[in-house]
Amino acid sequence: MVLRIALLGVCLGMVAQAQRNSFEPGQVWLDTEGKPIQAHAAGILVRNGVYYWYGQDMTFGAENKVGVSCYSSRDLYNWKREGTALPKEALPEQFRDTGVCERPKVLFNERTGKYVMWMHLDADKYTVSEAGVAVADKPEGPFRFVRRFRPLKYDYGYKPDCCNQRELGNTFRDMNLFLDDDGRAYVFYASEHNRTMYVARLNEDFTGIEEPAVLGKTWARILIGEEREAPAPFKYQGKYYLFTSGCTGWLPNKAALSVASNPLGPYVTQKEYPMVGPDAELTFRAQSTFVLPVQGKPGAFILLLDRWNPKQLSESRYVWLPFRVAADGTVRVVWRDRWDLSVFDKELR
Ligand code: DGJ
């Protein structure tokens, strides 16, 4: 009888996964249906007590074979697949299949009541380098594609390069969004062919940058000439922090943590290296994608990283690690094989 019920369950695809109650950085992470979570270069939105995890679905490997997936959770350990929030078909053809749609991030706009997704769209060996924006009525989508563009044109002394920046505007690659306490939002992105990071305030509905764009007032060049990518911003006690990586494709490199008193900078990179543990100098063989403030635990953060597997990108793993900011503004992100949220009540007070 038990066997029959179990078999029936399997047939109906109803086999419940054991509840998870810890994080295991670098290990396969199954969703509530027992399938590996496919949401790389993640961004997380918190809405009405629910966490929504968006990311690149790389089930079929590199580039954009599926689109942007969405998972939901109330406890951060157990994630239910909500579906493909932005299917590749919603994008211009150039960005499907052999094109890319990377590092999707979503904000909720209080004024419009819409969910707004930004992403890095690219094609032709990363020479198109544009921002994409899509909008939805519900967090799980479906997101409707709104626009593709390079938000800023600024003559930094254009050199001949791949990307027609003088004509088309400055490149838009690795990106992130940040919503400040005053309701203003910002996009961070690697520009100038990855030489310099840009940060620009968004317009009221979050579907573009604030116009007219004025350097130093509505947008800024930060980490100038430092060749950083994978921006992961967060705020703590009035200071703006930004994790970044170097630019080495899918290969890991050394992270940095920079800090500013204003979202537009200037950002100063801290001398104290934040990562501690095996392969710390290679950011635990991973690359930053997001910083998540843990709900209900002020000052508790989780750094989300991707451990890319360049040979088989679908097998890339998630590395989530907890941290707090010390009184002197420094951060220590310590490697752990396994941990749970109670670390914030014990060692990470
Ligand atoms: C590094 C970036 O951080 C990733 O998002 C991706 O664009 C790879 N480069 C591609 O090589």
Side-chain angles (χ1 to χ4, degrees), residues 2 4-5 19 39 43 45 97 146 154 173 181-182 207 214 230 243-244 307 323:
V2 173
R4 266 205 220 138
I5 292 171
Q19 284 277 309
L45 168 79
D97 302 306
V146 176
Y154 168 80
R173 297 203 188 114
D181 313 320
D182 61 4
T207 58
V214 181
F243 281 106
T244 58
R307 183 176 283 170
F323 72 90

Side-chain angles (χ1 to χ4, degrees), residues 102-103 120 126 174 229-230 249-250 287 308:
E102 292 186 344
R103 297 185 177 267
H120 160 209
Y126 287 93
D174 277 15
E229 60 181 8
W250 301 112
Q287 187 184 28
W308 300 113

Side-chain angles (χ1 to χ4, degrees), residues 14-129:
M14 286 177 5
V15 175
Q17 281 300 300
Q19 284 277 309
R20 297 180 59 98
N21 51 18
S22 63
F23 303 98
E24 292 177 20
Q27 302 301 313
V28 176
W29 195 341
L30 302 180
D31 67 16
T32 50
E33 288 186 350
K35 300 195 182 114
I37 293 177
Q38 276 292 339
H40 307 276
I44 294 202
L45 168 79
V46 191
R47 186 88 186 118
N48 299 328
V50 180
Y51 294 96
Y52 293 91
W53 173 352
Y54 302 89
Q56 297 165 228
D57 187 331
M58 293 175 138
T59 305
F60 301 112
E63 302 156 338
N64 187 17
K65 307 283 193 302
V66 181
V68 176
S69 56
C70 174
Y71 294 79
S72 68
S73 174
R74 284 185 178 272
D75 63 10
L76 291 175
Y77 307 120
N78 299 284
W79 292 88
K80 172 175 176 274
R81 176 133 182 153
E82 296 288 351
T84 306
L86 180 79
K88 66 174 179 184
E89 291 78 13
L91 295 172
E93 209 167 333
Q94 195 180 16
F95 306 123
R96 307 175 196 165
D97 302 306
T98 56
V100 303
C101 168
E102 292 186 344
R103 297 185 177 267
K105 304 287 179 275
V106 176
L107 294 179
F108 177 70
N109 186 296
E110 294 282 352
R111 266 171 211 272
T112 61
K114 305 276 185 210
Y115 297 84
V116 186
M117 181 187 290
W118 281 62
M119 67 210 83
H120 160 209
L121 296 172
D122 228 316
D124 301 334
K125 301 199 170 99
Y126 287 93
T127 58
V128 175
S129 307

Side-chain angles (χ1 to χ4, degrees), residues 11-296:
C11 293
L12 295 174
M14 286 177 5
V15 175
Q17 281 300 300
Q19 284 277 309
R20 297 180 59 98
N21 51 18
S22 63
F23 303 98
E24 292 177 20
Q27 302 301 313
V28 176
W29 195 341
L30 302 180
D31 67 16
T32 50
E33 288 186 350
K35 300 195 182 114
I37 293 177
Q38 276 292 339
H40 307 276
I44 294 202
L45 168 79
V46 191
R47 186 88 186 118
N48 299 328
V50 180
Y51 294 96
Y52 293 91
W53 173 352
Y54 302 89
Q56 297 165 228
D57 187 331
M58 293 175 138
T59 305
F60 301 112
E63 302 156 338
N64 187 17
K65 307 283 193 302
V66 181
V68 176
S69 56
C70 174
Y71 294 79
S72 68
S73 174
R74 284 185 178 272
D75 63 10
L76 291 175
Y77 307 120
N78 299 284
W79 292 88
K80 172 175 176 274
R81 176 133 182 153
E82 296 288 351
T84 306
L86 180 79
K88 66 174 179 184
E89 291 78 13
L91 295 172
E93 209 167 333
Q94 195 180 16
F95 306 123
R96 307 175 196 165
D97 302 306
T98 56
V100 303
C101 168
E102 292 186 344
R103 297 185 177 267
K105 304 287 179 275
V106 176
L107 294 179
F108 177 70
N109 186 296
E110 294 282 352
R111 266 171 211 272
T112 61
K114 305 276 185 210
Y115 297 84
V116 186
M117 181 187 290
W118 281 62
M119 67 210 83
H120 160 209
L121 296 172
D122 228 316
D124 301 334
K125 301 199 170 99
Y126 287 93
T127 58
V128 175
S129 307
E130 293 179 16
V133 178
V135 168
D137 300 319
K138 292 186 292 178
E140 64 273 22
F143 280 80
R144 300 179 295 281
F145 186 66
V146 176
R147 64 192 298 208
R148 49 178 288 182
F149 66 127
R150 287 187 181 171
L152 287 158
K153 194 184 266 192
Y154 168 80
D155 186 352
Y156 63 94
Y158 292 118
K159 302 190 182 58
D161 67 24
C162 59
C163 308
N164 282 325
Q165 297 189 89
R166 194 190 291 274
E167 294 76 33
L168 302 177
N170 300 16
T171 48
F172 183 105
R173 297 203 188 114
D174 277 15
M175 58 141 288
N176 215 324
L177 298 177
F178 172 73
L179 181 61
D180 207 347
D181 313 320
D182 61 4
R184 289 170 153 195
Y186 297 81
V187 58
F188 288 78
Y189 64 98
S191 192
E192 300 180 10
H193 198 24
N194 281 4
R195 232 183 120 254
T196 291
M197 188 78 63
Y198 284 7
V199 50
R201 197 181 296 140
L202 300 190
N203 62 15
E204 289 198 342
D205 64 13
F206 297 171
T207 58
I209 61 165
E210 190 176 315
E211 302 280 5
V214 181
L215 181 61
K217 290 222 155 54
T218 68
W219 76 281
R221 299 169 75 224
I222 60 170
L223 307 179
I224 296 169
E226 293 188 25
E227 300 194 1
R228 307 300 297 174
E229 60 181 8
F234 67 99
K235 183 180 187 180
Y236 182 63
Q237 291 190 340
K239 295 271 188 218
Y240 297 84
Y241 294 82
L242 184 66
F243 281 106
T244 58
S245 77
C247 295
T248 52
W250 301 112
L251 300 177
N253 55 53
K254 195 169 178 179
L257 180 63
S258 310
V259 60
S261 302
N262 184 293
L264 295 182
Y267 284 81
V268 176
T269 298
Q270 296 191 340
K271 289 198 185 65
E272 301 76 11
Y273 186 62
M275 310 300 168
V276 181
D279 290 321
E281 292 287 310
L282 287 177
T283 320
F284 317 116
R285 294 185 282 123
Q287 187 184 28
S288 47
T289 181
F290 198 75
V291 172
L292 176 67
V294 179
Q295 300 305 293

